[in-house]
Amino acid sequence: MTVDVLSPPAPAERQARTAVAVLFFTNGALFANLLPRFPQIKADLGIGNAAYGLAVAAFPTGAIVAGLAAGALIRRYGSGRVAVAGTVLTGLGVLAAGLSGSVVLFATALLLAGAMDAITDVAQNAHGLRVQRRYGRSIINSFHAIWSIGAVTGGSIAAGAIALDLSLGQHLLISAVVFGIAACVALRFCLTGPDTEPDAEAMKEEPKEETNERAARETDAESRELASQREEKLRKTRLRTGYVLAALVLIAASGALVEDAGSSWAALYLSDSLHASGTLAASGYIALVGAQFVGRMIGDRLVDRFGQRTVARSGGLIAAVGMGLALAVPTATGTILGFATAGFGVATLVPAAMHEADELPGLKPGSGLTIVSWLMRLGFLLSPPIVGLVADSTSLRVGLLVVPLAGLMVMVLAGVLQPRRR
């Protein structure tokens, strides 16, 4: 990572860091306000598990469809403005989903909310990386931890709204207004100016110059042999890069799959299969994101001490064993603890995969990060319908086996991550 500024951050940078933290917080809180309401919405619409899973999959579908548009919007309007606009529109989409009177409207609202959420996610991370470059040290993990705080807050607000018997419309309207205003206030303190690097064009032209110079030098047989060796080395590097990138996508998708299992199915499994109250059922997702927050807060220190590879493998084992035991011996308390261990285990996976992808050789700056960020959403897209179909064929308890399986996959693929630095 290029460090632009090594001096202590100025007040503007500190204010911008707070502004980005607010954006991550609101992004985590908005959709989390809707998740504990899913059982009520499913019951009101009178749909089965498969139809429910397909409808919920509209959210990641919208994210995949719109995710690649974020770059163009950021270049035109700036990451801060795009993040704030996306936050406001996400809140409106969540409100529309809660008020939907049919499964088609519900899925459509989730599709639009997912599209806006994806654009917000890219924009707030882009702005967070701008602030990080100003700081000259890594702070991006703290933003993701704050997102977890926002998700816990949103889920807690929803649980409180259920306990107070607030209607869906009242609850989600309050949420959209409060967090939308918070995002708009944060925009005032975001960094100004373009998001693009000033030397980007020069970097693009440099390889062309090097290629021309190399072509001029490589005129005899010996130089052609050297060129052939370089081409072979480049080919192997590209193959290695492709393999590592695919593994990183699967690692990130595993983290996304576990998170989606908590957001889409935890409340439903606790309320329907284990007969927990609405308030207690909301605790499953809250426990997952709460433990995820703890994992992200201590993740940097663990990585520095043991290496990302060991941390990821250990996390995969914790998620597999914890959720596996919870499903083997189903109780409400045990299941909530199982979701908590799963959240803790996958806490560092997505940041680790993004960081590794951003440093892969043979790719343009930012390409690896973009690919992983976009494709990992397949975990969110595929998980709900797969779990729903398995649940209808067998039981939701069996469908949730995707969580320990994701942990096992991480253990197998973690070898592509960096070991401990000597």
Side-chain angles (χ1 to χ4, degrees):
M1 183 182 69
T2 301
V3 176
D4 297 330
V5 178
L6 297 178
S7 57
E13 279 76 50
R14 291 195 293 268
Q15 291 175 353
R17 181 177 182 176
T18 301
V20 175
V22 170
L23 293 176
F24 271 82
F25 180 87
T26 56
N27 182 250
L30 273 172
F31 191 58
N33 264 275
L34 180 64
L35 299 179
R37 293 286 199 166
F38 275 171
Q40 179 183 345
I41 294 173
K42 179 176 178 291
D44 291 343
L45 296 177
I47 56 177
N49 287 324
Y52 167 78
L54 290 172
V56 172
F59 188 89
T61 300
I64 290 175
V65 170
L68 294 180
L73 292 172
I74 290 171
R75 287 190 294 271
R76 181 168 183 178
Y77 300 106
S79 56
R81 292 178 180 176
V82 173
V84 172
T87 298
V88 173
L89 293 174
T90 299
L92 293 177
V94 168
L95 174 61
L99 297 177
S100 299
S102 69
V103 65
V104 174
L105 293 177
F106 176 58
T108 301
L110 287 181
L111 182 78
L112 296 175
M116 294 301 101
D117 179 76
I119 292 173
T120 302
D121 184 43
V122 175
Q124 68 187 12
N125 274 284
H127 208 78
L129 290 172
R130 283 190 67 192
V131 177
Q132 176 172 276
R133 287 192 290 270
R134 298 287 188 94
Y135 267 66
R137 57 185 174 86
S138 177
I139 58 174
I140 195 66
N141 284 326
S142 67
F143 293 137
H144 285 268
I146 290 170
W147 183 94
S148 297
I149 296 177
V152 172
T153 302
S156 300
I157 291 173
I162 293 172
L164 294 174
D165 201 26
L166 289 180
S167 68
L168 273 167
Q170 292 172 325
H171 163 212
L172 297 178
L173 177 61
I174 293 172
S175 170
V177 171
V178 170
F179 294 118
I181 291 175
C184 291
V185 172
L187 178 61
R188 180 181 178 183
F189 302 99
C190 288
L191 296 175
T192 58
D195 286 82
T196 55
E197 297 293 337
D199 59 344
E201 293 301 322
M203 293 176 64
K204 292 180 182 179
E205 295 297 327
E206 184 179 6
K208 296 180 181 179
E209 296 176 2
E210 292 178 354
T211 301
N212 293 335
E213 292 175 2
R214 191 183 307 121
R217 292 195 303 267
E218 296 172 341
T219 56
D220 53 22
E222 182 178 355
S223 61
R224 284 196 297 271
E225 177 64 21
L226 292 174
S228 176
Q229 293 176 0
R230 282 195 292 268
E231 289 296 326
E232 178 64 18
K233 183 178 180 180
L234 180 60
R235 185 186 69 83
K236 292 181 178 179
T237 299
R238 288 174 175 170
L239 288 174
R240 168 67 179 171
T241 298
Y243 163 74
V244 173
L245 188 60
L248 293 175
V249 169
L250 290 175
I251 289 173
S254 295
L257 187 149
V258 172
E259 186 176 323
D260 178 76
S263 63
S264 299
W265 300 101
L268 197 63
Y269 177 64
L270 284 162
S271 61
D272 286 4
S273 300
L274 302 181
H275 310 293
S277 65
T279 303
L280 183 60
S283 300
Y285 177 68
I286 295 172
L288 185 146
V289 293
Q292 187 180 60
F293 162 74
V294 174
R296 286 173 173 171
M297 287 297 293
I298 66 175
D300 288 333
R301 292 193 294 272
L302 292 175
V303 170
D304 289 340
R305 182 171 182 180
F306 301 107
Q308 185 61 71
R309 182 182 300 172
T310 299
V311 172
R313 280 181 174 156
S314 300
L317 177 63
I318 290 171
V321 173
M323 195 62 191
L325 289 175
L327 294 173
V329 185
T331 64
T333 301
T335 298
I336 293 172
L337 291 175
F339 278 111
T341 59
F344 182 82
V346 304
T348 64
L349 294 185
V350 172
M354 289 182 174
H355 178 266
E356 294 285 342
D358 204 35
E359 296 187 347
L360 282 176
L363 296 178
K364 294 180 179 180
S367 296
L369 174 61
T370 301
I371 292 171
V372 169
S373 300
W374 189 61
L375 289 180
M376 78 170 185
R377 293 183 178 272
L378 289 175
F380 288 107
L381 175 63
L382 298 177
S383 175
I386 290 175
V387 174
L389 289 171
V390 173
D392 279 349
S393 300
T394 55
S395 68
L396 185 51
R397 179 183 171 191
V398 175
L400 287 175
L401 285 174
V402 295
V403 175
L405 290 176
L408 294 176
M409 181 182 293
V410 171
M411 294 175 63
V412 172
L413 298 175
V416 301
L417 299 174
Q418 290 296 320
R420 179 184 178 184
R421 295 179 181 178
R422 300 295 181 183

